[in-house]
Amino acid sequence: MTTSTSATSTTAEGTTATRTITAGSAAARPRLVPVLWLALLATPVAAAANAPVLILPDMAGSLGVATSTAAWLVAAFAWAMAVAIPLLAGLLRRRGLAPVLRLSSALLLGGTLLVAASPWLPLTLLGRAAQAAGGAGLVAAAMSLAGSARRMGVISAGFGMLGATGPLLGAQLSHAVSWRLSLSVSLISLLAVPAVSKYAKAPAAAPQSRFDARGAALLTLLATALVLLPHAPAVALGCAALAAVLLALHIRRRPEGFVPAALIRRPLFLGSALLALALSTSYFTLLFAVPRLISDRAGWDTGAAGTGQLVALLVGSALSWLLAAGSARMGRVAVRTVLIGIGTLAALAAVFASHGPLLLLATMGGVFGATGANAVLSTHAASSVPDAQRPTAIGLFTLCYQLGGAFGPAIATALVLGS
């Protein structure tokens, strides 16, 4: 009888211990941030980036400059996004999530206040750059916290949708209130910061070491030269080549620095980043070229072409989430085959099609490929490195994707818009 009681007692104690361990393990596992909070944190910057497209003349008139000069407000935003993402991803790697959220929020708020109050173009340019840098930090944080292709797909689809509606939203806000309000839509991201801070358990900060300032500066110089390549090809190409050589030599001397040598030597990372660059460049080329092609080849007026493209962009962005959701079952080779196949068909349709609906399908295929690549290939790139280097991998991957936004409009201008 005593033995039975002891056994029962031992069993109960074991069950209790097991429950305690299980509960402790569950508590130790980081809680995933609800993906809608991550989407709210990251995607408003896409609308802010495209908000000036239809209102540049209004902005130029208010600032007392030519429209071509006011277009630097778009270029400054693109440059700051491209440069700031790897820099703030590096800060995320070294210091963790909280400093990145604080700095990004301060940059976004300060830049928006400057844009709202500045009567001069140089100060407005500074404000737009600060807005973009703040938005870049929030994007880097959201992508680092996504954790899966399905959740990354929600963020990327949101990027595509808000980017598609950005010009129309900017025009409506400008006509109803002011163009300065149109450039302030990225402030919506700040609503998600408290929730993300509450839920998130970010990747642990890397062990502290001396900050690789030279590596960060050389990467910034390289990214700047590449962004300016369409605007000043000869000078930018020379600067980019010099920066690339100096950065390569620096990486050999300091392989664990700001740009880890082990990362850029991984075929999975390089393949993912370069494919994302190609698909992003194709998409942004189609985004700017297709409305003109529809007008010239199919005879559609501007309003019909713009409406059709908006619908195509929204549908393509939504479909990209389905690819992201099913990517784990499909496998890497199948996903890349789909992305390359649809991206190629989209480019061929833009070159040869003469009917409006086929050209809109080209736009749909372009945004599907680019947003699908951003969702799925970013997770491939991040999975190729240890957890401590995930923010760096995502930052460099996103830099490649953002460069497509600089190259695409220039290609469209050279091939279509300039003719």
Side-chain angles (χ1 to χ4, degrees), residues 31 59 79 121 156 161 169 221-222 263 279 297 302 327 408 416:
R31 293 178 296 173
M59 295 163 57
W79 167 79
L121 179 63
S156 296
M161 291 179 177
L169 176 63
L221 177 61
L222 176 60
L263 174 62
L279 291 169
R297 297 178 186 175
T302 303
S327 61
V416 177

Side-chain angles (χ1 to χ4, degrees), residues 16-59:
T16 302
T18 301
R19 289 173 178 170
T20 302
I21 292 171
T22 303
S25 300
R29 286 196 298 267
R31 293 178 296 173
L32 287 176
V33 183
V35 69
L36 293 181
W37 283 121
L38 294 180
L40 181 61
L41 186 73
T43 57
V45 70
N50 293 344
V53 169
L54 300 178
I55 58 174
L56 274 177
D58 296 339
M59 295 163 57

Side-chain angles (χ1 to χ4, degrees), residues 11-357:
T11 303
E13 289 173 359
T15 303
T16 302
T18 301
R19 289 173 178 170
T20 302
I21 292 171
T22 303
S25 300
R29 286 196 298 267
R31 293 178 296 173
L32 287 176
V33 183
V35 69
L36 293 181
W37 283 121
L38 294 180
L40 181 61
L41 186 73
T43 57
V45 70
N50 293 344
V53 169
L54 300 178
I55 58 174
L56 274 177
D58 296 339
M59 295 163 57
S62 175
L63 294 169
V65 298
T67 300
S68 58
T69 304
W72 279 101
L73 289 167
V74 178
F77 197 95
W79 167 79
M81 278 286 294
V83 167
I85 279 184
L87 293 177
L88 289 169
L91 178 63
L92 180 64
R93 175 191 172 193
R94 288 176 57 84
R95 301 291 185 181
L97 180 68
V100 172
L101 291 179
R102 287 196 296 266
L103 177 59
S104 300
S105 299
L107 285 169
L108 180 55
L109 181 58
T112 300
L113 292 175
L114 198 55
V115 168
S118 170
W120 303 295
L121 179 63
L123 283 179
T124 309
L125 283 171
L126 181 61
R128 283 294 279 171
Q131 283 181 316
L138 299 180
V139 170
M143 294 181 71
S144 295
L145 294 168
S148 70
R150 177 189 290 268
R151 286 160 57 82
M152 192 74 80
V154 176
I155 298 172
S156 296
F159 262 109
M161 291 179 177
L162 287 183
T165 59
L168 181 60
L169 176 63
Q172 293 298 321
L173 291 175
S174 177
H175 294 154
V177 183
S178 168
W179 62 267
R180 297 179 188 272
L181 180 62
S182 301
L183 304 188
S184 303
V185 294
S186 53
L187 276 180
I188 297 172
S189 296
L190 298 182
L191 296 175
V193 170
V196 172
S197 300
K198 173 185 175 183
Y199 279 99
K201 297 292 183 182
Q208 292 302 303
S209 60
R210 185 170 56 88
F211 176 65
D212 183 13
R214 181 176 297 179
L218 289 173
L219 180 64
T220 300
L221 177 61
L222 176 60
T224 301
L226 291 174
V227 168
L228 293 177
L229 189 60
H231 305 282
V235 176
L237 184 60
C239 291
L242 177 61
V245 171
L246 292 176
L247 181 60
L249 293 174
H250 176 74
I251 291 172
R252 290 187 64 183
R253 287 193 299 267
R254 190 167 177 183
E256 298 298 326
F258 190 82
V259 181
L263 174 62
I264 61 175
R265 290 172 183 162
R266 293 182 183 270
L268 179 57
F269 173 81
L270 284 179
S272 299
L274 293 177
L275 180 54
L277 171 61
L279 291 169
S280 173
T281 301
S282 176
Y283 160 57
F284 283 104
T285 302
L286 293 171
L287 180 67
F288 283 82
V290 164
R292 173 70 175 270
L293 294 176
I294 291 178
S295 176
D296 291 347
R297 297 178 186 175
W300 291 20
D301 60 35
T302 303
T307 301
Q309 186 174 45
L310 175 61
V311 173
L313 291 171
L314 292 175
V315 173
S317 299
L319 290 176
S320 70
W321 180 82
L322 296 179
L323 176 68
S327 61
R329 295 188 298 273
M330 294 172 62
R332 289 174 182 168
V333 174
V335 167
R336 290 171 187 242
T337 300
V338 170
L339 290 174
I340 294 172
I342 292 182
T344 301
L345 289 174
L348 291 174
V351 171
F352 296 108
S354 58
H355 298 288

